[in-house]
Amino acid sequence: MKDTLFLLTPGFLDGDGAPYYCPYCTIFEGLLSLYPNLTSQIDVKRVAFAKPRADLLALLGAEHQSCPALVLGAPLVSPLAGVQVNEANGRWFIDEPQDIGNYLSLTYGIPRPH
């Protein structure tokens, strides 16, 4: 299984006002545009804003449905400096944007976030 990056589909509704986008997910949309080869190395799934978010729920449980989230395809063999990795339902995942960026940099060789 590849690492899977979950992002909210932009243009979602949440109460009053115009449609929204998630600013943290948009960081990774931009990153994928800058480094398109990354999309062949990881899976990217865009999910609806409304909960439950079935794909995340199935992998990580009800407590871990926030986006962006990177679900690792395999457990880490050793810790990565600057990356907080969590575990739920036997799956390893990262749900902090800076940590996701650091992981992608260390694992896939793209520049790191500043």
Side-chain angles (χ1 to χ4, degrees):
M1 181 175 145
K2 291 182 179 180
D3 293 342
T4 304
L5 179 62
F6 289 88
L7 303 171
L8 291 178
T9 302
F12 58 84
L13 300 177
D14 184 26
D16 295 333
Y20 296 95
Y21 67 89
C22 169
Y24 301 108
C25 294
T26 301
I27 291 168
F28 295 102
E29 294 286 6
L31 187 73
L32 294 168
S33 293
L34 287 171
Y35 304 101
N37 62 319
L38 195 55
T39 60
S40 67
Q41 297 174 293
I42 66 172
D43 288 330
V44 179
K45 291 192 176 186
R46 289 167 183 86
V47 297
F49 176 75
K51 291 182 181 176
R53 298 177 181 142
D55 290 341
L56 278 168
L57 182 68
L59 291 171
L60 303 176
E63 301 85 31
H64 305 289
Q65 296 183 63
S66 65
C67 290
L70 182 71
V71 178
L72 306 186
L76 285 179
V77 176
S78 60
L80 294 173
V83 179
Q84 173 65 47
V85 179
N86 305 295
E87 186 272 330
N89 292 344
R91 301 270 187 181
W92 295 88
F93 71 99
I94 305 166
D95 60 359
E96 290 296 327
Q98 187 75 26
D99 291 334
I100 294 170
N102 286 334
Y103 174 87
L104 293 173
S105 174
L106 292 165
T107 305
Y108 298 102
I110 62 172
R112 63 186 176 149
H114 186 275

